[in-house]
Amino acid sequence: MLTVAVLISGTGSNLRALLEAASEPGYPARVVAVGADRPADGLQHAADFGIPTFTVPFRAYGSREEWGAELAAQLRAWKPDLVVLSGLMRLLPAAVVAEFAPNIINTHPAYLPEFPGAHGVRDALAAGVEHTGASVIVVDEGVDSGPVLAQERVPVLPGDTEASLHDRIKPVERRLLIDVVRRIATGELNLRTPASS
Ligand code: GAR
């Protein structure tokens, strides 16, 4: 059974979908802890499933490195096989990425390498593209620049707002995330050589 720690910043709807999948008999991964960089609403989903949570408030630390060191310490305590960034809206310090790499993945609401960063949906809308998408990637030291594990196109519709487009992307993200975690757990997907698996 693959053990997973999830990090969030917001509402945690994708986290909830993963928790629901992981509670199904036969799903080969389980969530062992959920952490956040602020008192995120989404921590409630973990509580609903009886999963321990921790918060490492970014603003309480003098630097990104100090915050990252505490976050890594909290994660380490759970010995997760995999760390999932599910809406964590902070760039992890390189030392944290190095400690957990390559077993650290991220979901993103765009078809990477298109529209990386904190405003993937807004940027796609502003660019006037007809299609954007959802991606699950391996985290590296860059901003949404690691190897793509799964991605799918989502059309931009006339009259879309950032919220309506994001609402259509998220179900795709959830499906991709649940499937990627399953394939990592079964060994179908190898994070050391993602392109060849
Ligand atoms: C998701 O769309 C996730 O991909 C995005 O935040 C949302 C979190 O939603 N992450 C990023 O944009 C990271 N660059 P949720 O809190 O409802 O799961």
Side-chain angles (χ1 to χ4, degrees):
M1 186 68 80
L2 188 87
T3 59
V4 180
V6 183
L7 297 178
I8 63 167
S9 293
T11 56
S13 63
N14 290 350
L15 159 70
R16 183 162 192 106
L18 184 62
L19 289 165
E20 285 170 359
S23 68
E24 293 289 329
Y27 192 77
R30 68 188 169 91
V31 177
V32 293
V34 177
D37 64 327
R38 65 185 76 164
D41 290 347
L43 291 171
Q44 183 59 43
H45 299 307
D48 291 347
F49 282 77
I51 308 291
T53 63
F54 59 89
T55 305
V56 184
F58 185 81
R59 293 179 195 288
Y61 292 82
S63 69
R64 180 175 304 278
E65 285 63 34
E66 288 171 51
W67 168 74
E70 179 56 24
L71 190 71
Q74 295 279 343
L75 284 171
R76 206 179 293 134
W78 295 101
K79 297 183 169 48
D81 298 317
L82 180 71
V83 177
V84 174
L85 310 187
S86 185
L88 180 75
M89 302 307 281
R90 301 265 177 208
L91 198 57
L92 291 176
V96 180
V97 175
E99 177 171 345
F100 294 97
N103 300 308
I104 176 165
I105 66 173
N106 184 30
T107 66
H108 186 72
Y111 199 88
L112 291 168
E114 300 168 7
F115 311 116
H119 304 293
V121 181
R122 190 183 305 172
D123 293 347
L125 211 49
V129 292
E130 289 183 2
H131 292 87
T132 180
S135 306
V136 180
I137 63 168
V138 180
V139 175
D140 68 7
E141 290 177 20
V143 178
D144 298 323
S145 54
V148 173
L149 298 169
Q151 60 187 169
E152 198 172 304
R153 285 288 184 189
V154 175
V156 180
L157 301 181
D160 255 341
T161 61
E162 184 177 354
S164 68
L165 181 55
H166 205 167
D167 281 350
R168 278 208 321 291
I169 291 171
K170 278 188 180 184
V172 179
E173 271 189 80
R174 287 171 199 145
R175 183 160 41 73
L176 295 180
L177 175 64
I178 289 165
D179 190 54
V180 163
V181 172
R182 183 188 58 73
R183 288 192 289 138
I184 292 169
T186 59
E188 205 180 310
L189 197 52
N190 182 348
L191 294 181
R192 292 198 180 278
T193 55
S196 59
S197 53

